């Protein structure tokens, strides 16, 4: 009997919001700020439209699963060899995404709170997401529900407090753009910000109804996170101006350093922001680890699950430890643009073709 999806609309909405919070605060603002001289909300809106298009393609694929998991259905339809060929870029994407997220976060910790702590020690935080991923999908979902309610409120408080010392004239031009971002690779590097639906497509079984509900939850999450993303980008601009913001490694972190009011309970808002972001990141890294585990479990059903997650943990930890600087993190994001485009647009189309092929072959065999 095929399993029904155990992830509901609110839970998917919470996961998508957590994904945005984990992805928007560190590398993304600097990429967008340096990619254009015009209005920043225009490239943000364009990528939001691309994300909706990508998620629609995925939703068409998920509606054909009939209660199965995505990787398993592709494996059933086209076999092991073609599944490996189709899914290898996806595996590389998940691996590099984990390395980037882990290493970017630990780098920010060393910048703001623990400058003398070895990176190799801080990278050990990956143990918590790996353990959560090994525990299964529902523990991740329960953690997402709790963390979402807490982090959303705290993030809104930070954004509201950040508005206290801005200068609105620094944000101009508000409307004008000449499309210069289309010719800047940093605009395309920001694609990682808009891949929340991709991650949730990998993690559970879907029926036609649950796939449609998942897509609706994602659209709602995009609409709700646009102000959050805009805040992470515009608050540094409205504080430092365009020229200085382009020179900042992590613009929003620098913005939090400038906020100082006697009535604020927390003296160091930067440390507070980094601590809140940890809750976002733990859940999203657990989801990515779980997606890797699902892929390997599909291709090698007899493989021991703890061994799979232990291997993934060691590989990600080793790669993240070998990354020595923030410049290398940005270079990895730029180098892997092609992988993200494949996962966003090419993979779901290949998945639709694979499922259709499996259905046709199955009908021919029945005849």
């Amino acid at each position: 009997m095929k399993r029904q999806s155990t992830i509901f609309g609110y839970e998917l909405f919470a996961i998508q919001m957590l994904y945005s919070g984990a992805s928007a605060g560190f590398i993304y603002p600097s990429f967008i700020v340096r990619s254009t001289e015009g209005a920043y909300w225009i490239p943000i809106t364009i990528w939001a439209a691309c994300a909706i298009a990508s998620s629609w393609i995925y939703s068409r694929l998920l509606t054909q699963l009939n209660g199965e998991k995505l990787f398993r259905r592709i494996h059933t339809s086209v076999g092991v060899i073609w599944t490996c060929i189709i899914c290898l870029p996806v595996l590389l994407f998940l691996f590099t995404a984990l390395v980037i997220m882990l290493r970017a976060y630990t780098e920010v910790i060393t910048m703001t709170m623990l400058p003398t702590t070895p990176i190799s020690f801080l990278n050990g935080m990956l143990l918590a997401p790996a353990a959560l991923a090994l525990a299964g999908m529902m523990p991740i979902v329960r953690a997402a529900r709790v963390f979402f309610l807490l982090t959303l409120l705290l993030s809104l408080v930070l954004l509201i407090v950040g508005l206290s010392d801005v200068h609105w004239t620094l944000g101009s031009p508000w409307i004008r753009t000449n499309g210069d971002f289309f010719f800047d690779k940093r605009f395309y590097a920001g694609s990682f910000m808009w891949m929340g639906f991709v991650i949730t497509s990998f993690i559970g079984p879907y029926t036609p109804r649950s796939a449609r509900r998942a897509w609706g939850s994602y659209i709602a999450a995009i609409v709700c996170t646009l102000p959050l993303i805009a805040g992470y980008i515009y608050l540094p601009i409205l504080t430092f101006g365009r020229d200085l913001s382009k020179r900042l490694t992590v613009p929003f972190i620098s913005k939090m350093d400038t906020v100082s009011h006697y009535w604020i309970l927390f003296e160091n808002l930067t440390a507070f922001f980094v601590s809140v972001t940890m809750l976002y990141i733990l859940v999203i890294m657990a989801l990515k680890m779980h997606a890797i585990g699902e892929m390997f479990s599909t291709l090698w059903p007899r493989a021991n699950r703890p061994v799979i997650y232990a291997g993934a943990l060691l590989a990600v930890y080793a790669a993240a430890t070998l990354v020595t600087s923030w410049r290398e993190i940005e270079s990895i994001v730029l180098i892997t643009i092609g992988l993200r485009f494949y996962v966003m647009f090419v993979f779901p189309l290949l998945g639709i073709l694979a499922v259709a092929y499996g259905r046709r072959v199955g009908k021919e065999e029945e005849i």
Side-chain angles (χ1 to χ4, degrees):
M1 184 176 179
K2 294 177 180 178
R3 288 189 299 167
Q4 301 297 309
S5 175
T6 54
I7 310 175
F8 300 102
Y10 169 74
E11 294 162 344
L12 287 167
F13 176 81
I15 289 172
Q16 302 299 346
M17 294 288 287
L18 289 171
Y19 183 90
S20 298
S23 304
F26 297 150
I27 304 178
Y28 186 72
S30 63
F31 278 146
I32 294 299
V33 168
R34 288 181 282 167
S35 69
T36 182
E37 297 294 334
Y40 296 116
W41 64 268
I42 295 177
I44 296 173
T45 305
I46 290 174
W47 262 120
C50 292
I52 292 173
S54 172
S55 63
W56 182 84
I57 300 173
Y58 267 96
S59 70
R60 297 304 92 196
L61 171 59
L62 298 181
T63 55
Q64 301 179 41
L65 300 184
N66 295 322
E68 293 181 295
K69 293 183 178 181
L70 177 56
F71 295 131
R72 190 166 300 168
R73 181 60 181 273
I74 293 175
H75 176 263
T76 302
S77 299
V78 297
V80 176
I81 295 177
W82 279 106
T83 302
C84 290
I85 294 173
I86 293 172
C87 294
L88 179 59
V90 179
L91 177 62
L92 292 175
F93 156 73
L94 291 170
F95 177 77
T96 56
L98 272 167
V99 171
I100 291 168
M101 183 168 285
L102 174 63
R103 189 61 185 84
Y105 186 72
T106 55
E107 184 72 18
V108 169
I109 291 178
T110 60
M111 291 179 186
T112 57
M113 295 189 296
L114 303 172
T116 61
T117 304
I119 289 296
S120 57
F121 178 80
L122 294 176
N123 285 340
M125 67 174 285
L126 186 63
L127 282 169
L132 190 58
L134 179 61
M137 191 59 230
M138 292 317 297
I140 299 176
V141 171
R142 287 192 288 269
R145 287 201 302 255
V146 175
F147 288 175
F148 166 65
L149 294 176
L150 178 62
T151 55
L152 178 64
L153 176 61
L154 296 177
S155 296
L156 289 175
V157 169
L158 286 172
L159 291 176
I160 292 172
V161 171
L163 289 169
S164 61
D165 60 345
V166 299
H167 306 280
W168 294 98
T169 55
L170 297 176
S172 61
W174 292 98
I175 300 177
R176 188 179 71 253
T177 185
N178 58 6
D180 55 345
F181 51 86
F182 285 119
F183 304 97
D184 195 306
K185 59 185 178 181
R186 286 166 294 203
F187 167 72
Y188 300 99
S191 55
F192 69 86
M193 176 69 241
W194 307 97
M195 302 186 70
F197 193 80
V198 170
I199 303 301
T200 54
S201 297
F202 298 155
I203 59 177
Y206 284 93
T207 62
R209 182 182 178 185
S210 64
R212 289 190 291 268
R213 292 177 62 184
W215 189 61
S217 298
Y218 183 61
I219 301 303
I222 284 183
V223 173
C224 292
T225 54
L226 282 176
L228 178 70
I229 296 169
Y232 285 149
I233 293 171
Y234 271 104
L235 283 179
I237 298 297
L238 298 176
T239 303
F240 307 116
R242 286 173 173 260
D243 292 337
L244 179 55
S245 296
K246 290 179 181 179
R247 296 183 176 90
L248 298 174
T249 303
V250 190
F252 192 75
I253 293 289
S254 300
K255 161 62 185 177
M256 287 292 99
D257 280 334
T258 68
V259 180
S260 179
H261 298 290
Y262 71 91
W263 49 269
I264 296 179
L265 296 178
F266 298 93
E267 182 178 354
N268 190 344
L269 283 184
T270 300
F272 184 66
F273 168 71
V274 173
S275 301
V276 170
T277 307
M278 177 182 287
L279 301 180
Y280 289 112
I281 286 177
L282 288 176
V283 173
I284 300 307
M285 286 199 298
L287 284 172
K288 292 176 180 178
M289 291 283 287
H290 185 72
I292 291 175
E294 288 293 325
M295 184 180 298
F296 276 100
S297 297
T298 299
L299 296 176
W300 294 281
R302 296 183 180 179
N304 185 276
R305 287 180 63 84
V307 172
I308 291 174
Y309 286 106
L313 168 67
L314 292 175
V316 174
Y317 174 85
T321 304
L322 291 174
V323 178
T324 59
S325 66
W326 188 266
R327 187 180 297 275
E328 289 186 17
I329 298 171
E330 292 185 339
S331 297
I332 296 173
V333 178
L334 293 170
I335 291 170
T336 53
I337 291 174
L339 276 178
R340 290 192 293 276
F341 271 78
Y342 174 89
V343 175
M344 288 184 75
F345 299 105
V346 179
F347 174 75
L349 293 174
L350 292 177
I352 291 173
L353 292 175
V355 172
Y357 172 80
R359 188 183 298 114
R360 180 173 64 84
V361 172
K363 287 182 179 180
E364 289 176 356
E365 291 176 351
E366 291 177 1
I367 293 174

